[in-house]
Amino acid sequence: MKPALLVIDVQKQFFDESPETARSLTNAIEYINAGIALFRAKGLPVVCVQDIGEEDQRVPGTTRFEVPESVKVLPSDLHIHKTYGNSFNKTPLAGALRELDVDTVILTGYCAEHCVLSTYRGALDHDFTPVILRGSLASGVAENIPFVERIGDVISYGALKRVLG
C-alpha cells in the first residue's frame, strides 16, 4: 500500500457558511494537520484539493479560495483545483497519483456528505482504495459526518499511524 492524504475543500470561504460549519472545520483541522504531519514524516504525498466556485467568487487568487493558515499544507504539495464535487472528475488527480505509485487515498476535509463522499466514490471508479480519516471530516450538519463514516471505510489516526509504521 502506498497512500496519499487528500485535504479536500478546506478553504476560507466555507468558514463563513455558518457557525456550525466553522466549528466543524476547526475541529477537523486538528486531525487533518495530524495526518499531514504523519504523511510528511513518512515521505508520503499530501494533496490539497480546492474547489473553484465562480458564482461565489471563490477562484484562485482570491481570499475566499485560499486554504486557512491553520492548515499545514505547503506550496510544494500537489494542488488540484476542481469544479465538481468529485475531486477526480475532469482534474489531473488520478494521473498525478498514478505517477506517484499511489494506490490508496486517505480522505479528509469538507463537506463530508458532498465533496468528500463524491471523491470517495470517484476513487473507487479510478481503482484507488479510499479510506476516511476519522475526525477529519467537516460539515454544516453535524449528523452527516457519522453518516458518511458509516458508508465508507474509516481509519482512526492511531490505526493509520500503526499501519504506516
Side-chain angles (χ1 to χ4, degrees):
M1 170 179 84
K2 182 173 180 191
L5 182 74
L6 272 60
V7 180
I8 302 168
D9 297 353
V10 181
Q11 294 168 258
K12 289 182 178 179
Q13 177 191 346
F14 300 125
F15 283 81
D16 296 332
E17 297 283 313
S18 71
E20 176 62 33
T21 300
R23 275 190 300 277
S24 185
L25 280 161
T26 299
N27 292 338
I29 287 171
E30 177 184 348
Y31 290 91
I32 292 168
N33 283 338
I36 290 170
L38 178 60
F39 272 66
R40 288 205 203 299
K42 300 297 180 182
L44 295 168
V46 173
V47 181
C48 178
V49 179
Q50 291 166 276
D51 187 65
I52 295 172
E54 291 185 10
E55 66 283 354
D56 296 327
Q57 293 93 38
R58 189 179 57 255
V59 295
T62 65
T63 300
R64 298 166 71 80
F65 182 79
E66 297 305 316
V67 175
E69 294 77 17
S70 60
V71 179
K72 302 304 180 193
V73 294
L74 298 174
S76 58
D77 292 327
L78 177 60
H79 287 257
I80 299 291
H81 297 171
K82 67 180 184 65
T83 55
Y84 293 89
N86 174 357
S87 301
F88 289 93
N89 189 12
K90 299 183 182 179
T91 71
L93 180 58
L97 293 174
R98 284 193 183 93
E99 285 180 21
L100 295 168
D101 294 321
V102 167
D103 59 6
T104 303
V105 288
I106 308 301
L107 304 175
T108 71
Y110 178 77
C111 180
E113 68 273 22
H114 296 293
C115 296
V116 176
L117 186 54
S118 294
T119 300
Y120 186 98
R121 291 180 176 139
L124 292 169
D125 290 342
H126 287 274
D127 297 321
F128 294 99
T129 301
V131 180
I132 296 167
L133 178 60
R134 185 177 309 282
S136 72
L137 300 185
S139 173
V141 182
E143 55 270 13
N144 288 344
I145 295 170
F147 167 78
V148 171
E149 289 179 343
R150 282 191 304 272
I151 290 173
D153 289 328
V154 179
I155 192 166
S156 69
Y157 174 78
L160 180 61
K161 195 171 178 181
R162 287 189 298 279
V163 167
L164 296 180

